[in-house]
Amino acid sequence: MPINETLVTEAERLTPKLREAEIAPRALVDAVPDPDAFQGWRMEPAGDYEGLSGRAFGKGESFVLDFGDHQVGYVSFAAEAVGSPPDAPLKLKLVFGEMPCEIGENFAEYDGWLSSSWLQEETMYLDVLPAAVTLPRRYCFRYMKVTVVDASPKYRARFADFRCAAVTSADVSNVPPLPDGVPDDLAAMDRIAVKTLQDCMQTVYEDGPKRDRRLWIGDLRLQAQANYVTFRDRDVVKRCLYLFGGMPLESGAVGACVFEKPHPHVDDTRLYDYSLFFVATLHDYYEATGDREALAALWPIALRQLKLGAERLDERGVVTDDPSWWCFIDWQGDLNKQASAQAVLIYCLKRGLALAEAAGDGEAAAWISETTHLASEAAMSRLWDAEQGVFVSGADAQVSWASQVWMTLGGVLAPAEASALFDRLFANPPEVGMNTPYMYHHYIEALFECGKSDKAWAEMRAYWGEMMRDGADTFWELYNPNDKKFSPYGSNLINSYCHAWSCTPTYFIRKYWNRTK
Amino acid sequence: MPINETLVTEAERLTPKLREAEIAPRALVDAVPDPDAFQGWRMEPAGDYEGLSGRAFGKGESFVLDFGDHQVGYVSFAAEAVGSPPDAPLKLKLVFGEMPCEIGENFAEYDGWLSSSWLQEETMYLDVLPAAVTLPRRYCFRYMKVTVVDASPKYRARFADFRCAAVTSADVSNVPPLPDGVPDDLAAMDRIAVKTLQDCMQTVYEDGPKRDRRLWIGDLRLQAQANYVTFRDRDVVKRCLYLFGGMPLESGAVGACVFEKPHPHVDDTRLYDYSLFFVATLHDYYEATGDREALAALWPIALRQLKLGAERLDERGVVTDDPSWWCFIDWQGDLNKQASAQAVLIYCLKRGLALAEAAGDGEAAAWISETTHLASEAAMSRLWDAEQGVFVSGADAQVSWASQVWMTLGGVLAPAEASALFDRLFANPPEVGMNTPYMYHHYIEALFECGKSDKAWAEMRAYWGEMMRDGADTFWELYNPNDKKFSPYGSNLINSYCHAWSCTPTYFIRKYWNRTK
């Protein structure tokens, strides 16, 4: 599929200038093993940061800085020699960690299947001392460990002036106050959620600033929803939509993610749900901004996603299942995704209808209405198990939380029926659970949508609230309260602990508090 | 001692602009263990360099480039991804080696006492591919090993366009042709010696461009002597003399070495012989250039070194011995340095006399003559063992090669007596031998000075010639033909294999060939 240069050029024009804040360390700490702490590590105070510049460090000695909160940015510091003139380079190892585990554990022992190159460490040499060092790479961290790997018998090293130039494209001054009456615990949750979004908002809406640092459409959709009630940016959302729209895959499907550097290009990953979410994201953007220029430019691309999505319906009107990684929904290896995908199609068709009407595209509107009807009917006739009173998915008729959540969001059941469905699920929980804040987001939204707002607030407090009790400065990519080291990548060291799709408590609080309380 | 800003400013003004040559790799090689090879490693061909850009490297894979000769400079290369768009940083490990052992062995196992920070390796991340990389640090190498520590399951890495911007302040076009009749083996030795000097000639006369990359006066003196018959630079020698002269130690003694960065400063190391060699180096410079401005500026400092040297004479007129590291002479832990130091004082006094006369300083000339006489008499009456017919050193009357060599260079014996002394030594070699090309240089010079030129040429062929047979591209800091892994630092990995004080075969060939053949 050729790149649409007009869209990509406009996307590049919309690249924001990043805002910078200078952050100094707050304290010295040590990572201490503790079986009662989250993932087995806690931070222990190890002195005032101000005392650091009076100490000198020799071969094998180290210290850990605590920057007080999660940071995304560029680090600088000063180093000098104490003793004789430095007669050999100063060799340093720097480790950056969002979480205590990254400081406490040894990266050399990492054996997950994601590239170890995401682990944030540097080995560097200072040939000349004193030195003012500005590290060229961006790090994502609260803690920074500095180890003197080697100096020389004739000198030791002293350090000072650590700073992080923290970057974001988010305008913090634009965030409206919380609705009246939001209780303290939710206000605290909101603050962390807003910080999560802020740290992910760079020149695109990144999924995680530590890893993968890319624009994924699944993350973008939720970030944009949170953004409309907080930072109220429109240019960067528009840039992201234009990047996706301007660089489809061969088939015309919108790719699952795009890269910005060295020039914008689309990844070769296609996911059924993610392509469809282009429509939902455009819908939400148009609803928030009324930007008719964007609507005109992107509506044909959105319609194409719906057509491609509908092509996967079999003769019964059911989305064709597939054993490959064709649809995301959740990081849940046991999950059959057929029913969820069916519901995502319906969900996006409905948002597409609003766009077709706004764009004055009557032909598309008619097709969408017809297809929505077909897919919804098929969902009820083929995927609803009336006996159990749940949606089932795949050849083995799997019952999962995801299927019920998405069918609810797709509006396949009337709200009262969905509410009753959830009551049955609470009494008899499906075996296949939820692993990500991304899936939890949809679960919470489904609860609000079917009128179970008390349960929604309670579940937010149980899930994101538990992350807070476990020490979250920003909300995490992955969290299973029953398996706190859960990682789909084979190691919790590589999990992202500031992750876009986890920022939505602020969306719920700002959208639903006044409506439900 | 305050810095003499006039001298240091003039030294800085004389900083040369470095000349650059672009060098491409010649071949791919592998380091292979081989008990018959020098230090147990040899390089085996592993394909054409041209074939490299057609290959792709995944996690854990590596290759070794051979740049064909010893290089000192700045490396650049290009890297790109093969496969899917790179979804994780490319983590590389680069190792630079002057010798096969540095490529074959594992730096992690280094346990010498010099700082491991001298071992030339880098761990780096390329966040964006394709990338054009220019490494900021200078390396000293013939071989470069590139290891892909990690890429990702979705892509592999391809490399091309490796270059070294080789730097030197030496003007190669200035080197005169060799004297007629120099045989091929000595012509080859001359070429390697000149390359050694060239690679050490940077903005100062460095001792070794791999390690320590500093201006030591012991190296400077020999480099300058080789330079006067090859590159015929005068400005950088002058710069070096002004740096030493402008930044003496507290006592007024010239320091053993100085640093250029971040601003010129002297090291806190004082060595008896090295301070005195300021006089000899100035003598040689004045003889080569007739630079009266430098003579006027530096003569008072030179005279001060002679006075300080003479202060160490005891009431018998013998240099006071000391168990500490007070005098260098050789990297030879068993060597007692008293007799050598006595001879170095006499050697430098004699060169000081020529300077005093050139400077018209009659008072100093008289004092120098008197002191030379006193020290020479004491050498014969207190350090000459008439029974054995050798010089002895220290309380235990140690007999070493170094004592005999230096007493010969100091002219304490008449040439015929010195010649007879060496005949006795060849028949009955002293137990305490020589470890460095620096000491071997003085041995060869002593042989020429006492008329044993055939032996001098034979010994050069046996020592530097054996280095050539062992694969030297440039001559080495340390070489003991009977212990080829010899290192005073606990590991041959950290030895310097391009070392200033080893460049003097070119001096001998160009100075003595026509006189002796």
Side-chain angles (χ1 to χ4, degrees):
Chain A
M1 198 73 183
I3 284 176
N4 182 326
E5 293 290 355
T6 310
L7 292 182
V8 175
T9 302
E10 178 62 5
E12 291 292 79
R13 194 189 65 77
L14 291 165
T15 307
K17 192 168 151 37
L18 298 181
R19 294 154 201 273
E20 254 186 55
E22 191 182 86
I23 312 291
R26 298 283 180 82
L28 299 173
V29 292
D30 277 333
V32 180
D34 179 350
D36 296 330
F38 178 66
Q39 299 185 341
W41 292 93
R42 70 180 157 79
M43 284 302 184
E44 199 167 77
D48 289 341
Y49 169 64
E50 289 64 35
L52 178 68
S53 60
R55 294 165 58 189
F57 296 85
K59 181 171 181 166
E61 296 176 341
S62 64
F63 58 93
V64 180
L65 298 166
D66 178 357
F67 279 74
D69 199 354
H70 191 271
Q71 312 296 343
V72 178
Y74 298 87
V75 170
S76 58
F77 63 92
E80 63 176 3
V82 183
S84 290
D87 60 336
L90 178 61
K91 181 176 181 181
L92 300 178
K93 184 170 179 183
L94 310 178
V95 175
F96 298 88
E98 296 182 304
M99 296 296 288
C101 64
E102 292 163 272
I103 302 299
E105 296 183 29
N106 185 353
F107 284 173
E109 288 163 20
Y110 169 79
D111 67 347
W113 63 264
L114 278 191
S115 178
S116 62
S117 63
W118 286 120
L119 299 170
Q120 301 180 110
E121 61 179 337
E122 301 290 343
T123 303
M124 64 183 303
Y125 299 85
L126 300 180
D127 292 316
V128 177
L129 293 174
V133 179
T134 299
L135 299 169
R137 302 177 74 212
R138 197 190 73 186
Y139 305 101
C140 187
F141 69 105
R142 172 171 169 172
Y143 307 107
M144 174 181 180
K145 181 174 182 176
V146 178
T147 303
V148 172
V149 180
D150 217 335
S152 101
K154 292 192 73 177
Y155 78 95
R156 296 163 69 80
R158 192 151 61 192
F159 300 90
D161 299 337
F162 284 88
R163 291 291 182 276
C164 174
V167 290
T168 177
S169 59
D171 181 355
V172 179
S173 69
N174 235 10
V175 179
L178 278 175
D180 285 343
V182 170
D184 288 350
D185 66 329
L186 292 184
M189 189 183 290
D190 179 86
R191 191 190 57 70
I192 295 173
V194 169
K195 181 71 161 91
T196 305
L197 177 58
Q198 176 186 334
D199 283 1
C200 293
M201 281 173 65
Q202 301 294 334
T203 51
V204 294
Y205 281 60
E206 296 185 15
D207 59 335
K210 178 174 100 174
R211 196 217 89 238
D212 306 331
R213 308 179 193 164
R214 256 179 284 163
L215 171 58
W216 288 85
I217 204 161
D219 299 85
L220 169 64
R221 173 172 150 263
L222 302 196
Q223 283 170 294
Q225 289 184 324
N227 162 66
Y228 301 135
V229 295
T230 54
F231 300 112
R232 297 182 287 185
D233 151 65
R234 55 184 276 170
D235 281 359
V236 190
V237 180
K238 185 171 183 175
R239 163 170 161 77
C240 294
L241 283 166
Y242 275 52
L243 285 172
F244 278 116
M247 304 186 297
L249 297 169
E250 278 302 309
S251 57
V254 164
C257 75
V258 301
F259 298 87
E260 297 179 271
K261 300 276 176 63
H263 51 77
H265 60 292
V266 67
D267 188 38
D268 55 10
T269 303
R270 178 182 175 179
L271 292 167
Y272 183 79
D273 47 348
Y274 275 34
S275 295
L276 285 165
F277 283 138
F278 182 77
V279 186
T281 310
L282 178 59
H283 166 270
D284 299 342
Y285 173 76
Y286 181 70
E287 194 173 66
T289 65
D291 181 348
R292 295 199 64 84
E293 178 197 272
L295 178 65
L298 300 178
W299 165 242
I301 299 156
L303 179 58
R304 178 90 181 115
Q305 307 315 306
L306 296 175
K307 298 265 185 184
L308 286 166
E311 278 178 14
R312 204 177 169 98
L313 295 174
D314 63 18
E315 68 291 347
R316 304 170 303 160
V318 176
V319 168
T320 307
D321 199 8
D322 193 324
S324 76
W325 199 60
W326 63 284
C327 183
F328 178 67
I329 306 298
D330 194 11
W331 271 125
Q332 173 48 283
D334 296 332
L335 178 66
N336 180 284
K337 297 171 179 177
Q338 183 183 45
S340 302
Q342 181 88 10
V344 167
L345 174 61
I346 295 164
Y347 176 92
C348 292
L349 281 165
K350 290 182 175 175
R351 276 145 191 82
L353 184 62
L355 290 173
E357 286 165 355
D361 188 344
E363 190 183 338
W367 174 82
I368 291 171
S369 296
E370 187 186 330
T371 309
T372 307
H373 183 74
L374 171 78
S376 302
E377 287 285 297
M380 287 311 298
S381 61
R382 305 292 181 174
L383 301 174
W384 176 252
D385 180 330
E387 198 170 316
Q388 294 186 77
V390 294
F391 289 95
V392 296
S393 182
D396 297 336
Q398 181 189 75
V399 182
S400 66
W401 279 101
S403 300
Q404 322 310 319
V405 163
W406 271 109
M407 285 295 183
T408 301
L409 293 175
V412 176
L413 298 179
E417 291 166 354
S419 179
L421 165 61
F422 276 107
D423 287 335
R424 287 193 294 281
L425 297 175
F426 298 142
N428 189 17
E431 213 170 292
V432 181
M434 300 176 281
N435 269 331
T436 57
Y438 177 75
M439 190 60 231
Y440 263 83
H441 165 88
H442 294 110
Y443 167 58
I444 303 291
E445 178 109 68
L447 291 177
F448 280 121
E449 290 299 300
C450 72
K452 301 187 97 62
S453 59
D454 285 351
K455 183 71 178 175
W457 296 119
E459 289 287 66
M460 276 176 63
R461 285 177 158 117
Y463 190 72
W464 280 271
E466 183 76 0
M467 276 195 232
M468 291 165 70
R469 287 182 286 278
D470 276 337
D473 298 306
T474 46
F475 288 125
W476 304 334
E477 175 189 19
L478 300 149
Y479 189 59
N480 182 337
N482 302 313
D483 176 10
K484 291 188 175 176
K485 283 193 165 188
F486 169 76
S487 171
Y489 315 121
S491 166
N492 59 302
L493 288 180
I494 208 124
N495 290 359
S496 163
Y497 292 92
C498 171
H499 217 74
W501 69 23
S502 201
C503 77
T504 57
T506 186
Y507 161 79
F508 292 125
I509 293 165
R510 289 162 190 268
K511 179 173 176 184
Y512 290 107
W513 185 260
N514 281 345
R515 296 190 198 176
T516 64
K517 292 289 174 181
Chain B
M1 201 69 184
I3 285 177
N4 182 327
E5 293 291 354
T6 310
L7 292 182
V8 174
T9 301
E10 177 63 6
E12 290 294 80
R13 194 189 66 76
L14 290 166
T15 306
K17 193 170 149 39
L18 297 181
R19 296 155 201 272
E20 252 186 57
E22 190 182 88
I23 311 291
R26 299 282 181 82
L28 298 173
V29 292
D30 277 333
V32 180
D34 179 350
D36 295 332
F38 177 66
Q39 298 185 340
W41 292 94
R42 70 179 158 79
M43 284 301 184
E44 198 166 76
D48 288 340
Y49 169 63
E50 289 65 35
L52 178 68
S53 60
R55 294 164 59 189
F57 296 83
K59 181 172 179 165
E61 295 177 342
S62 65
F63 58 92
V64 180
L65 298 166
D66 178 358
F67 279 74
D69 199 354
H70 190 271
Q71 312 296 343
V72 179
Y74 297 87
V75 170
S76 58
F77 63 91
E80 62 177 3
V82 184
S84 289
D87 60 336
L90 178 61
K91 181 176 180 180
L92 301 177
K93 184 171 178 180
L94 311 177
V95 176
F96 298 88
E98 297 181 304
M99 296 296 288
C101 64
E102 291 162 273
I103 302 298
E105 296 183 27
N106 185 355
F107 285 173
E109 288 162 21
Y110 168 78
D111 68 347
W113 64 264
L114 277 191
S115 178
S116 62
S117 64
W118 287 119
L119 300 169
Q120 300 179 108
E121 62 179 337
E122 300 290 344
T123 302
M124 63 182 303
Y125 299 85
L126 300 179
D127 291 317
V128 177
L129 295 174
V133 179
T134 299
L135 299 170
R137 302 177 75 212
R138 197 189 74 185
Y139 305 102
C140 187
F141 69 105
R142 171 172 170 171
Y143 306 107
M144 174 181 178
K145 180 174 183 176
V146 178
T147 303
V148 173
V149 180
D150 216 335
S152 101
K154 293 192 72 176
Y155 79 96
R156 295 162 71 79
R158 193 151 60 193
F159 300 90
D161 299 336
F162 284 89
R163 291 290 181 279
C164 175
V167 290
T168 178
S169 58
D171 181 355
V172 179
S173 69
N174 234 12
V175 179
L178 278 174
D180 286 344
V182 169
D184 287 350
D185 67 330
L186 291 184
M189 189 183 292
D190 179 85
R191 191 191 56 71
I192 295 172
V194 169
K195 181 72 161 89
T196 304
L197 177 58
Q198 176 186 331
D199 284 1
C200 293
M201 280 171 67
Q202 303 293 334
T203 49
V204 293
Y205 281 61
E206 295 184 15
D207 59 336
K210 179 174 98 173
R211 198 217 87 239
D212 305 331
R213 309 178 191 163
R214 256 178 286 162
L215 171 58
W216 287 86
I217 206 161
D219 299 85
L220 169 64
R221 173 173 150 262
L222 302 195
Q223 282 169 295
Q225 288 184 324
N227 162 68
Y228 301 134
V229 294
T230 55
F231 300 111
R232 297 182 286 186
D233 150 66
R234 55 184 276 169
D235 280 359
V236 190
V237 180
K238 185 171 182 174
R239 165 171 161 76
C240 295
L241 282 167
Y242 275 52
L243 286 172
F244 278 115
M247 303 185 297
L249 297 169
E250 278 302 308
S251 57
V254 164
C257 74
V258 300
F259 298 88
E260 296 178 272
K261 299 275 176 61
H263 52 77
H265 61 290
V266 67
D267 188 37
D268 55 10
T269 302
R270 178 181 176 180
L271 292 167
Y272 184 80
D273 46 350
Y274 275 35
S275 296
L276 286 166
F277 284 140
F278 181 80
V279 185
T281 309
L282 178 60
H283 166 269
D284 299 342
Y285 172 77
Y286 181 70
E287 193 174 64
T289 65
D291 181 347
R292 296 199 63 82
E293 177 195 274
L295 176 66
L298 300 178
W299 166 242
I301 298 156
L303 178 59
R304 178 90 181 114
Q305 306 316 305
L306 296 175
K307 297 267 185 183
L308 285 166
E311 278 178 13
R312 202 176 171 97
L313 295 174
D314 64 16
E315 69 291 345
R316 306 170 302 161
V318 176
V319 167
T320 307
D321 199 8
D322 192 325
S324 75
W325 199 63
W326 63 285
C327 181
F328 179 67
I329 305 298
D330 193 11
W331 272 125
Q332 172 50 282
D334 297 333
L335 178 65
N336 181 284
K337 297 171 178 177
Q338 182 184 44
S340 303
Q342 181 90 7
V344 167
L345 174 62
I346 295 165
Y347 176 94
C348 293
L349 282 165
K350 288 181 175 175
R351 277 145 190 84
L353 183 62
L355 290 173
E357 287 164 354
D361 188 343
E363 190 184 336
W367 174 82
I368 291 171
S369 296
E370 188 187 330
T371 309
T372 307
H373 182 73
L374 170 79
S376 302
E377 286 286 297
M380 287 310 297
S381 62
R382 305 291 182 174
L383 301 174
W384 177 252
D385 180 330
E387 199 169 316
Q388 295 185 77
V390 293
F391 288 95
V392 295
S393 182
D396 297 335
Q398 182 189 74
V399 182
S400 66
W401 279 100
S403 299
Q404 322 311 318
V405 163
W406 270 110
M407 285 293 184
T408 301
L409 293 174
V412 176
L413 298 179
E417 290 166 352
S419 178
L421 165 61
F422 276 107
D423 287 335
R424 287 193 296 280
L425 296 174
F426 298 142
N428 189 17
E431 214 171 289
V432 180
M434 298 177 280
N435 269 330
T436 57
Y438 177 76
M439 190 60 231
Y440 264 83
H441 165 88
H442 294 111
Y443 167 57
I444 302 292
E445 179 109 70
L447 291 176
F448 280 122
E449 290 299 300
C450 72
K452 303 187 96 62
S453 59
D454 285 350
K455 183 69 179 176
W457 297 117
E459 289 287 65
M460 276 177 63
R461 286 177 158 114
Y463 189 72
W464 281 272
E466 182 76 357
M467 275 195 232
M468 292 166 70
R469 288 182 286 278
D470 276 336
D473 298 306
T474 44
F475 288 125
W476 304 334
E477 176 189 19
L478 300 150
Y479 189 59
N480 181 338
N482 302 313
D483 176 10
K484 291 188 174 176
K485 285 192 164 188
F486 169 75
S487 172
Y489 315 121
S491 166
N492 60 302
L493 290 180
I494 208 123
N495 290 0
S496 163
Y497 292 93
C498 172
H499 216 74
W501 69 23
S502 200
C503 77
T504 57
T506 188
Y507 161 81
F508 291 125
I509 293 165
R510 290 161 190 268
K511 177 172 177 184
Y512 290 107
W513 185 259
N514 280 344
R515 298 190 198 176
T516 65
K517 292 289 174 181

